[in-house]
């Protein structure tokens, strides 16, 4: 099996390292599609690119979709499996067909409930008590397809979008390592039907939500301050004379135990 990896961000970098670690005579990583530059990304790292250079693997920069180049390299390198983790662009059905839909995606949210973007923020805004991560087979519809593996964990009262992201990273890495082991062992791979419609959150889904409208509404202040704490991005704020004042959440030990 020859794998093309498509991904970035801390979760993508860690999962790529795991794939490289699990290579053997039956499974190899042909290359990756990721960010070449680390200057314009919030995580300030380009580990996937560096690993590809060090190991003389094919690399495609993802600063734009580059679909034609991906197709060309799937053909020329006999790629038969795609692994997506934090990939920037939606893969077309024509690309998925080239590998007979042997393609999986790790999504750091519960599916189908939280499809798309900014799922940590929305989970806090929606008052979720449980969150999760999903590894699923890819189809021509975004964040759909049968489950491969899933995991869930509680959302604590003190969780912010950032701490929920950190929990998701840990769960996602654990899930991905289980996936890599299954791939290495060979045999039949899980396909559990995904049911329900869920909701898709677009890249504009947080527009206008950071503003706290009523400082006397404790629930709104707490919820939005938690939902929008994710450095280095903008925090929740309120306005006085059209000037922004930001709110950063904090919790004492009594609150954390409740």
């Amino acid at each position: 099996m020859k794998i093309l990896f498509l991904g970035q961000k801390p979760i993508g970098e860690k999962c790529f390292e795991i794939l490289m670690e699990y290579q053997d005579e039956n499974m190899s990583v042909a290359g990756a599609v990721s960010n070449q530059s680390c200057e314009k990304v919030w995580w300030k790292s380009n580990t996937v690119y560096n690993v590809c250079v060090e190991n003389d693997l094919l690399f495609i920069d993802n600063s734009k979709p580059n679909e034609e180049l991906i197709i060309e390299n799937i053909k020329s390198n006999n790629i038969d499996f795609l692994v997506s983790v934090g990939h920037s662009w939606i893969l077309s059905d024509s690309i998925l067909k080239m590998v007979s839909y042997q393609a999986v995606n790790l999504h750091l949210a519960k599916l189908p409930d939280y499809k798309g973007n900014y799922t940590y923020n929305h989970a806090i805004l929606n008052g979720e008590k449980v969150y999760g991560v999903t590894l699923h087979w890819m189809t021509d519809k975004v964040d759909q397809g049968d489950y491969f593996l899933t995991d869930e964990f509680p959302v604590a009262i003190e969780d912010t979008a950032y701490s929920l992201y950190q929990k998701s990273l840990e769960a996602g890495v654990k899930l991905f390592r289980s996936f890599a082991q299954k791939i290495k062992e060979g045999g039949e791979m899980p396909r559990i039907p995904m049911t329900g419609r869920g909701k898709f959150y677009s890249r504009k889904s947080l527009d206008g939500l950071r503003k706290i409208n009523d400082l006397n509404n404790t629930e709104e202040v707490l919820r939005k301050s938690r939902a929008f704490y994710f450095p280095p991005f903008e925090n929740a704020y309120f306005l006085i004379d059209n000037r922004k004042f930001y709110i950063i959440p904090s919790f004492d030990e009594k609150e954390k135990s409740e």
Side-chain angles (χ1 to χ4, degrees):
M1 176 187 296
K2 294 188 71 175
I3 294 175
L4 178 63
F5 179 85
L6 305 97
Q8 57 181 25
K9 303 178 183 176
I11 183 63
E13 294 178 348
K14 182 60 180 177
C15 289
F16 187 64
E17 290 177 3
I18 291 172
L19 272 186
M20 295 292 291
E21 173 190 339
Y22 275 75
Q23 289 183 106
D24 60 16
E25 64 275 7
N26 298 315
M27 186 271 281
S28 64
V29 178
V33 182
S34 190
N35 60 294
Q36 183 170 341
S37 170
C38 62
E39 298 301 322
K40 296 182 179 181
V41 293
W42 63 264
W43 59 96
K44 301 302 180 184
S45 176
N46 58 351
T47 297
V48 175
Y49 169 71
N50 291 330
V51 171
C52 285
V53 171
E54 291 169 5
N55 291 273
D56 197 27
L57 301 177
L58 90 88
F59 180 84
I60 300 172
D61 180 49
N62 70 353
S63 56
K64 58 182 180 180
N66 266 328
E67 183 162 307
E68 291 184 2
L69 193 55
I70 293 173
I71 290 173
E72 177 186 324
N73 277 280
I74 288 175
K75 291 177 180 178
S76 61
N77 290 280
N78 298 313
I79 304 296
D80 50 18
F81 204 101
L82 304 179
V83 174
S84 170
V85 183
H87 183 53
S88 298
W89 311 99
I90 296 172
L91 294 181
S92 69
D93 193 49
S94 59
I95 288 179
L96 297 177
K97 283 180 179 177
M98 291 182 69
V99 294
S100 301
Y101 295 94
Q102 295 297 294
V104 297
N105 176 59
L106 177 61
H107 185 65
L108 295 188
K110 288 176 62 178
L111 291 177
D113 299 344
Y114 285 88
K115 295 180 282 189
N117 308 276
Y118 309 123
T119 56
Y120 322 104
N121 311 82
H122 287 292
I124 300 292
L125 288 172
N126 293 339
E128 296 289 356
K129 303 299 183 184
V130 177
Y131 195 73
V133 293
T134 309
L135 184 73
H136 66 98
W137 293 95
M138 299 177 73
T139 71
D140 59 345
K141 295 180 175 61
V142 178
D143 292 335
Q144 293 283 75
D146 295 340
Y147 297 117
F148 192 114
L149 293 168
T150 63
D151 191 19
E152 292 185 351
F153 47 88
V155 180
I157 189 173
E158 71 272 16
D159 271 329
T160 63
Y162 185 70
S163 66
L164 195 58
Y165 161 73
Q166 294 289 344
K167 288 182 176 181
S168 302
L169 278 179
E170 182 178 349
V173 167
K174 183 178 179 180
L175 206 69
F176 193 85
R177 191 171 288 278
S178 296
F179 157 75
Q181 185 63 43
K182 287 181 180 293
I183 290 289
K184 185 173 183 177
E185 292 171 351
E188 188 173 353
M189 292 181 278
R191 286 184 179 269
I192 304 167
M194 186 184 295
T195 59
R197 298 183 63 182
K199 183 172 181 178
F200 177 82
Y201 292 93
S202 74
R203 294 184 185 275
K204 295 183 178 182
S205 60
L206 294 182
D207 289 0
L209 297 183
R210 282 184 168 83
K211 181 184 174 184
I212 295 172
N213 297 299
D214 183 1
L215 284 175
N216 293 316
N217 185 334
T218 302
E219 193 278 332
E220 181 189 11
V221 173
L222 288 174
R223 177 167 44 86
K224 287 193 173 183
S225 64
R226 291 170 56 219
F228 292 104
Y229 182 75
F230 196 124
F233 300 104
E234 187 179 25
N235 293 311
Y237 65 87
F238 60 94
L239 293 176
I240 296 180
D241 295 332
N242 290 320
R243 294 172 60 194
K244 288 183 178 180
F245 294 83
Y246 292 101
I247 295 183
I248 299 175
S250 64
F251 294 85
D252 62 29
E253 293 306 313
K254 180 181 177 181
E255 288 174 310
K256 289 182 179 180
S257 64
E258 291 178 351

